[in-house]
Amino acid sequence: MSARLLYVMDPMCSWCWGFTPVIEALAERAARAGVAAVPVVGGLRSERQPLDPAGRVRILGHWQAVNAATGQLFDFNAAMPEGFVYDTEPACRAIVTARGLDASQVWRFMGLVQRAFYLEGADTTRASVLVGLAEEAGYSREAFAQRFDSPEAHQDTAADFDWVRNLGISGFPTVLAERDGRLALLTNGYQPLETLLPLLDRWLDQGAHA
């Protein structure tokens, strides 16, 4: 019997950043039951033009709402400087690259990407930034850079996006529990740990007694 916890997210989604402590606790609980947690990227934004001042203010308003609801910290001043193009595909492709190279390190890497963007004002659309963070997470800089730029990484990222889209998922974070190919929805959107942990425990118990 195969089972996985699937975390549908985007590393440049503010609600996913707010959800980070929750999903980490859920992943730890699942791991204790022998169930791996796997990130799947959904692709939040694919802008091609620099963010205008009004757009920046609008996005910062979303960030303030996430901060108020979750307590996660943001650097509102350094974020998204003039000329920033809010395209999340490179960061998503970096998660897919990390997952393919060494799944055991992908969660650490994902956290570093989110922290760099939301707390340090880093431009995580830039390959050089992502490669540096991958090295910090323990990946080979050369291996990561080579795979990140490969056709396979682009194809695998597009496959994640298509899978998420075909399921009709348009909001992140989403958590799905998969057992023998059958999916159960734990949440679509932010929920606190005290709401989701009983749902996960019930699903894990069902598998234990199946």
Side-chain angles (χ1 to χ4, degrees):
M1 183 179 295
S2 63
R4 299 184 300 170
L5 195 65
L6 301 175
Y7 177 38
V8 184
M9 58 85 69
D10 188 299
M12 294 172 68
C13 156
S14 56
W15 281 107
C16 296
W17 169 237
F19 192 64
T20 293
V22 179
I23 189 59
E24 287 178 348
L26 294 175
E28 183 179 341
R29 174 68 185 90
R32 289 201 300 269
V35 174
V38 180
V40 180
V41 293
L44 178 68
R45 301 172 69 98
S46 57
E47 304 296 334
R48 292 293 177 265
Q49 298 299 319
L51 199 61
D52 61 27
R56 182 178 187 274
V57 169
R58 185 169 60 252
I59 291 169
L60 289 177
H62 295 313
W63 291 15
Q64 288 162 353
V66 175
N67 168 255
T70 71
Q72 281 284 73
L73 299 177
F74 293 79
D75 185 334
F76 297 108
N77 296 318
M80 300 176 291
E82 185 176 354
F84 176 73
V85 178
Y86 207 140
D87 177 14
T88 71
E89 191 277 341
C92 286
R93 182 161 28 105
I95 302 303
V96 172
T97 298
R99 190 181 67 197
L101 286 172
D102 184 353
S104 69
Q105 299 275 31
V106 68
W107 287 86
R108 170 168 162 73
F109 174 63
M110 194 160 63
L112 289 173
V113 173
Q114 291 174 302
R115 177 173 291 274
F117 182 55
Y118 287 109
L119 282 181
E120 298 166 9
D123 186 350
T124 51
T125 71
R126 296 171 60 89
S128 58
V129 172
L130 295 165
V131 170
L133 292 168
E135 186 176 32
E136 186 179 344
Y139 292 93
S140 159
R141 185 181 186 91
E142 292 74 17
F144 186 92
Q146 183 175 7
R147 187 173 182 126
F148 177 77
D149 283 330
S150 70
E152 291 77 16
H154 285 273
Q155 292 163 8
D156 291 346
T157 304
D160 267 31
F161 290 176
D162 288 343
W163 186 83
V164 171
R165 193 178 304 113
N166 289 337
L167 280 179
I169 296 170
S170 58
F172 314 127
T174 290
V175 182
L176 302 166
E178 181 189 53
R179 182 179 291 120
D180 296 332
R182 289 168 32 180
L183 296 171
L185 177 66
L186 292 187
T187 186
N188 175 223
Y190 177 86
Q191 294 288 340
L193 181 62
E194 56 266 27
T195 299
L196 296 180
L197 197 55
L199 300 179
L200 176 61
D201 283 340
R202 191 176 309 131
W203 181 81
L204 292 171
D205 288 343
Q206 288 170 353
H209 295 98

